[in-house]
Amino acid sequence: MAKRIFRNTFITSLCGIILASLIVMGSFYDSAESQMRQALRTEANLVAQAIVSVGESYFDKFSSSEGTRITWISADGKVLYDSQVDETTMDNHISREEIALALKNGQAEVVRQSDTLSEKTMYYAKLLDDGTIIRVSCGYDTVMDMLIAIVQPMILLLLVLCVIMYAVANYTAKAVVAPLNGIDLESGTMADVRGFEEIKPLLARIRRQNVMIDTNIRELKLEHAKREDFRRDFTANISHELKTPLTSISGVSEMLMNGIIRTEDVPEFAANINKEAGRLISLVNDIILISRLEAEDLYTQKEQVDIFKLALSVKNRLEVLASKRNIKLTVTGRLVDGTEISENDSDIELTVMGVYNMLEDMIVNLCDNAIKYNVENGKVDISIIEHNKQMEIVVEDTGIGISDEDKGSVFERFYRVDKSRSKEVGGTGLGLSIVKHIVMYHGGSVNVEDRVGGGTRMVAIINK
Ligand code: ADP
């Protein structure tokens, strides 16, 4: 950074100085040239006046000012006098540009190569009243010489300035970077902030970001600790849940092996083994599903799912189970425009973008609970309610209900309100937890409410 500041400062000042020098030299050149032009005119006028008052004899004792050359030419171009060259040797000047122009316009100023002296020359010619022409000239190189004369000290000055600029740029770069190096990033402070007021907002931002970083780290640690607790609880719960049916299977099968059980009791004990094995299978299935849901290991493509038809098929599947306790299942729907639909309106579609198997698991779990925790001759109503951007799936039952203090916990893994009843009806304690994951996967939420008139009302809302 210091290098960059140094480079930029140095290059900028160098360019500035070079530009300034060029402008100075340019205007010097301009003024030198116009001074020379002015000097030629003045001298021409003086000489003209002298010729008028003194006459030709003026040139006898004449000496031109240093650097200038005076030529007097007759109206027909003959050179009458020249201050530097013997006029008798000079050819006719009538065709010289400045002479021709002066004859025409009264005066003329021309810069050209001198035929006589072979150098670039500035001429000023003036037509006198008697028809003769006075011409004053000066080597044009004089201007260049003057320019060259100032270039040398300018270059010297430039070099001195370069050294000064180098030192200043170096100092500036270090002075800018030094306070930044003095910032304590941990505390967002500076040892001495005096003279560096502009840094204060930066310090404030560093402090704000430090607070944010601290908060984030704390939250991450908390999250990590929570996950760790969760994992530990989950593992402990799984071991416990698996052990119970296994112990029962192992105990009963041992009794069968040892012949302790009377032949007529064998079917009952075998049924017990079968029931526990069934529990183990559904438990293992649920554990696998929930682990995959939690690890978001289900790269399943979403598709258009007709959730009303899906609810009807779940109802048909669970009807046998429900009929055992004479529980009646119904499916109804409501379109976004308020139209009510019944089980017979199989041509009407209520679709969502989702994963068919997951949504099926969700409705099965909700209905399964509504049957399991229901009373004899009870009712389970499944309603699919369409909203603009969401779909509401409501499963209501006339069962035992869930107390207010348990409502917040039923979606946790392995949570059961009444452990023995849950086991009795074949629950794994994972059903609602799976429902919650599926709903979240579909960008929604699930809630438990009391059903008016007793029982439970489960409301899942997912994105369409
Ligand atoms: P389970 O496999 O034990 O049914 P869930 O996760 O599905 O586990 O449900 C958690 C607990 O919530 C259940 O053990 C039960 O106590 C309670 N519960 C769930 N659904 C209902 C319902 N419809 N009516 C009454 N209680 C319910």
Side-chain angles (χ1 to χ4, degrees), residues 132-169:
T132 61
I133 293 156
I134 198 73
R135 185 185 76 172
V136 185
S137 62
C138 178
Y140 198 75
D141 291 345
T142 324
V143 180
M144 289 312 282
D145 288 346
M146 283 162 81
L147 200 63
I148 288 163
I150 72 152
V151 164
Q152 275 174 345
M154 286 280 290
I155 288 175
L156 204 70
L157 185 69
L158 210 70
L159 286 177
V160 173
L161 281 174
C162 272
V163 174
I164 294 172
M165 268 155 27
Y166 182 90
V168 170

Coordinates of all heavy atoms in Angstrom, one line a residue, residues 132-169:
T132 N 11.5 53.8 -51.4 CA 12.5 52.8 -51.0 C 12.0 52.0 -49.9 O 11.0 52.3 -49.2 CB 13.8 53.5 -50.6 OG1 13.5 54.3 -49.5 CG2 14.4 54.3 -51.7
I133 N 12.7 50.9 -49.6 CA 12.2 50.0 -48.5 C 13.3 49.8 -47.5 O 14.5 49.5 -47.9 CB 11.8 48.6 -49.1 CG1 10.6 48.8 -50.0 CG2 11.6 47.6 -48.0 CD1 10.4 47.8 -51.0
I134 N 13.0 49.9 -46.3 CA 14.0 49.6 -45.2 C 13.6 48.2 -44.6 O 12.4 47.9 -44.4 CB 14.0 50.7 -44.2 CG1 15.3 50.6 -43.4 CG2 12.8 50.6 -43.2 CD1 16.5 51.1 -44.1
R135 N 14.6 47.4 -44.6 CA 14.3 46.0 -44.1 C 15.2 45.7 -42.9 O 16.5 45.9 -43.0 CB 14.6 45.0 -45.2 CG 14.2 43.6 -44.8 CD 14.6 42.6 -45.9 NE 16.0 42.4 -45.9 CZ 16.6 41.4 -46.7 NH1 15.9 40.7 -47.5 NH2 17.9 41.3 -46.6
V136 N 14.7 45.3 -41.8 CA 15.4 44.9 -40.6 C 15.3 43.4 -40.4 O 14.1 42.9 -40.5 CB 15.0 45.7 -39.4 CG1 15.9 45.4 -38.2 CG2 15.0 47.2 -39.7
S137 N 16.3 42.7 -40.2 CA 16.2 41.2 -40.0 C 17.1 40.8 -38.8 O 18.0 41.4 -38.4 CB 16.6 40.5 -41.3 OG 17.9 40.8 -41.6
C138 N 16.7 39.6 -38.4 CA 17.4 39.1 -37.2 C 17.4 37.6 -37.4 O 16.4 37.0 -37.8 CB 16.7 39.5 -36.0 SG 17.4 38.9 -34.5
G139 N 18.5 36.9 -37.1 CA 18.6 35.4 -37.2 C 17.5 34.8 -36.2 O 17.4 35.2 -35.1
Y140 N 16.7 33.9 -36.8 CA 15.6 33.4 -36.0 C 16.1 32.5 -34.9 O 15.5 32.2 -33.9 CB 14.7 32.6 -36.9 CG 13.3 32.3 -36.3 CD1 12.4 33.4 -36.2 CD2 13.0 31.1 -35.8 CE1 11.2 33.1 -35.6 CE2 11.8 30.8 -35.3 CZ 10.8 31.9 -35.2 OH 9.6 31.7 -34.6
D141 N 17.3 31.9 -35.2 CA 18.0 31.0 -34.2 C 18.2 31.7 -32.8 O 18.3 31.0 -31.8 CB 19.3 30.5 -34.7 CG 19.1 29.6 -35.9 OD1 17.9 29.2 -36.1 OD2 20.1 29.3 -36.6
T142 N 18.2 33.0 -32.8 CA 18.4 33.7 -31.5 C 17.3 33.3 -30.5 O 17.6 33.1 -29.4 CB 18.2 35.2 -31.8 OG1 18.8 35.5 -33.0 CG2 18.9 36.0 -30.7
V143 N 16.0 33.1 -31.1 CA 14.9 32.7 -30.2 C 15.2 31.3 -29.6 O 15.1 31.1 -28.4 CB 13.6 32.7 -30.9 CG1 12.5 32.3 -30.0 CG2 13.3 34.1 -31.5
M144 N 15.6 30.4 -30.5 CA 16.0 29.1 -30.1 C 17.1 29.1 -29.1 O 17.1 28.3 -28.1 CB 16.3 28.2 -31.3 CG 15.2 27.9 -32.2 SD 13.7 27.3 -31.4 CE 14.2 25.6 -31.1
D145 N 18.1 29.9 -29.4 CA 19.3 30.0 -28.5 C 18.8 30.4 -27.1 O 19.3 29.8 -26.1 CB 20.3 31.0 -29.0 CG 21.0 30.5 -30.3 OD1 20.9 29.2 -30.5 OD2 21.6 31.3 -31.0
M146 N 17.9 31.3 -27.1 CA 17.4 31.8 -25.8 C 16.7 30.7 -25.0 O 16.8 30.5 -23.8 CB 16.4 33.0 -25.9 CG 17.2 34.3 -26.2 SD 16.1 35.5 -26.9 CE 15.3 36.1 -25.5
L147 N 15.9 29.9 -25.9 CA 15.2 28.8 -25.3 C 16.1 27.7 -24.7 O 15.9 27.3 -23.6 CB 14.3 28.2 -26.4 CG 13.1 27.4 -25.9 CD1 12.2 28.2 -25.1 CD2 12.4 26.7 -27.1
I148 N 17.1 27.4 -25.6 CA 18.1 26.4 -25.1 C 18.8 26.9 -23.9 O 19.0 26.1 -22.9 CB 19.1 26.1 -26.3 CG1 18.4 25.3 -27.4 CG2 20.3 25.3 -25.8 CD1 19.1 25.3 -28.7
A149 N 19.0 28.2 -23.8 CA 19.7 28.7 -22.6 C 18.9 28.5 -21.3 O 19.5 28.3 -20.3 CB 19.9 30.2 -22.8
I150 N 17.5 28.5 -21.5 CA 16.8 28.3 -20.2 C 16.5 26.8 -20.0 O 16.1 26.4 -18.9 CB 15.5 29.1 -20.2 CG1 14.4 28.5 -21.1 CG2 15.7 30.6 -20.3 CD1 13.0 28.8 -20.6
V151 N 16.6 26.0 -21.0 CA 16.4 24.6 -20.8 C 17.3 24.0 -19.8 O 16.9 23.2 -18.9 CB 16.4 23.8 -22.1 CG1 16.5 22.3 -21.9 CG2 15.2 24.1 -23.0
Q152 N 18.6 24.4 -19.9 CA 19.6 23.8 -18.9 C 19.2 24.0 -17.5 O 19.1 23.1 -16.7 CB 21.0 24.3 -19.2 CG 21.6 23.5 -20.3 CD 22.9 24.1 -20.8 OE1 23.2 25.3 -20.5 NE2 23.7 23.3 -21.5
P153 N 19.0 25.3 -17.1 CA 18.6 25.5 -15.6 C 17.3 24.8 -15.3 O 17.1 24.4 -14.2 CB 18.5 27.0 -15.5 CG 18.5 27.6 -16.8 CD 19.2 26.6 -17.7
M154 N 16.4 24.7 -16.4 CA 15.1 24.1 -16.1 C 15.3 22.6 -15.7 O 14.7 22.1 -14.8 CB 14.2 24.2 -17.3 CG 13.6 25.5 -17.6 SD 12.2 25.9 -16.6 CE 11.0 24.8 -17.2
I155 N 16.2 21.9 -16.5 CA 16.5 20.5 -16.3 C 17.0 20.3 -14.9 O 16.7 19.4 -14.1 CB 17.4 19.9 -17.3 CG1 16.6 19.8 -18.6 CG2 17.9 18.6 -16.9 CD1 17.4 19.3 -19.8
L156 N 17.9 21.2 -14.5 CA 18.6 21.2 -13.2 C 17.5 21.3 -12.1 O 17.4 20.5 -11.1 CB 19.6 22.3 -13.1 CG 20.7 22.1 -12.0 CD1 21.6 21.0 -12.5 CD2 21.5 23.3 -11.8
L157 N 16.6 22.3 -12.4 CA 15.5 22.5 -11.4 C 14.6 21.3 -11.3 O 14.2 20.9 -10.2 CB 14.7 23.8 -11.9 CG 13.6 24.2 -10.9 CD1 14.2 24.8 -9.7 CD2 12.7 25.2 -11.6
L158 N 14.4 20.7 -12.5 CA 13.5 19.5 -12.5 C 14.1 18.4 -11.7 O 13.5 17.7 -10.9 CB 13.4 19.1 -14.0 CG 12.1 18.4 -14.3 CD1 11.0 19.4 -14.3 CD2 12.2 17.7 -15.7
L159 N 15.5 18.2 -11.8 CA 16.2 17.2 -11.1 C 16.0 17.4 -9.6 O 15.8 16.5 -8.8 CB 17.6 17.1 -11.5 CG 17.9 16.5 -12.9 CD1 19.3 16.5 -13.2 CD2 17.4 15.0 -12.9
V160 N 16.3 18.7 -9.2 CA 16.2 19.0 -7.8 C 14.8 18.8 -7.3 O 14.6 18.1 -6.2 CB 16.6 20.5 -7.5 CG1 16.3 20.9 -6.1 CG2 18.0 20.8 -7.9
L161 N 13.8 19.2 -8.1 CA 12.4 18.9 -7.7 C 12.1 17.4 -7.6 O 11.3 17.0 -6.7 CB 11.4 19.6 -8.7 CG 11.3 21.1 -8.5 CD1 10.4 21.7 -9.7 CD2 10.7 21.5 -7.2
C162 N 12.7 16.7 -8.5 CA 12.5 15.2 -8.5 C 12.9 14.7 -7.1 O 12.2 13.8 -6.5 CB 13.2 14.5 -9.6 SG 12.3 14.5 -11.1
V163 N 14.1 15.1 -6.7 CA 14.6 14.6 -5.4 C 13.7 15.0 -4.3 O 13.3 14.2 -3.4 CB 16.1 15.1 -5.2 CG1 16.6 14.7 -3.8 CG2 17.0 14.6 -6.3
I164 N 13.2 16.2 -4.3 CA 12.3 16.7 -3.2 C 11.0 15.9 -3.3 O 10.6 15.4 -2.2 CB 12.1 18.2 -3.4 CG1 13.4 19.0 -3.2 CG2 11.0 18.7 -2.4 CD1 13.3 20.5 -3.5
M165 N 10.5 15.8 -4.5 CA 9.2 15.0 -4.6 C 9.4 13.6 -4.2 O 8.5 13.0 -3.5 CB 8.8 15.0 -6.1 CG 7.9 16.2 -6.4 SD 8.0 16.6 -8.1 CE 8.4 15.1 -8.9
Y166 N 10.5 13.0 -4.5 CA 10.8 11.6 -4.0 C 10.7 11.5 -2.5 O 10.0 10.7 -2.0 CB 12.2 11.2 -4.5 CG 12.5 9.8 -4.2 CD1 12.2 8.7 -5.1 CD2 13.1 9.5 -3.0 CE1 12.5 7.4 -4.7 CE2 13.4 8.2 -2.6 CZ 13.1 7.1 -3.5 OH 13.4 5.9 -3.2
A167 N 11.4 12.5 -1.9 CA 11.4 12.5 -0.4 C 10.0 12.8 0.1 O 9.5 12.1 1.1 CB 12.3 13.6 0.1
V168 N 9.3 13.7 -0.5 CA 7.9 14.1 0.0 C 7.0 12.9 -0.2 O 6.2 12.5 0.7 CB 7.4 15.3 -0.7 CG1 5.9 15.5 -0.4 CG2 8.2 16.5 -0.3
A169 N 7.0 12.2 -1.4 CA 6.1 11.1 -1.7 C 6.4 10.0 -0.7 O 5.5 9.3 -0.2 CB 6.3 10.7 -3.1

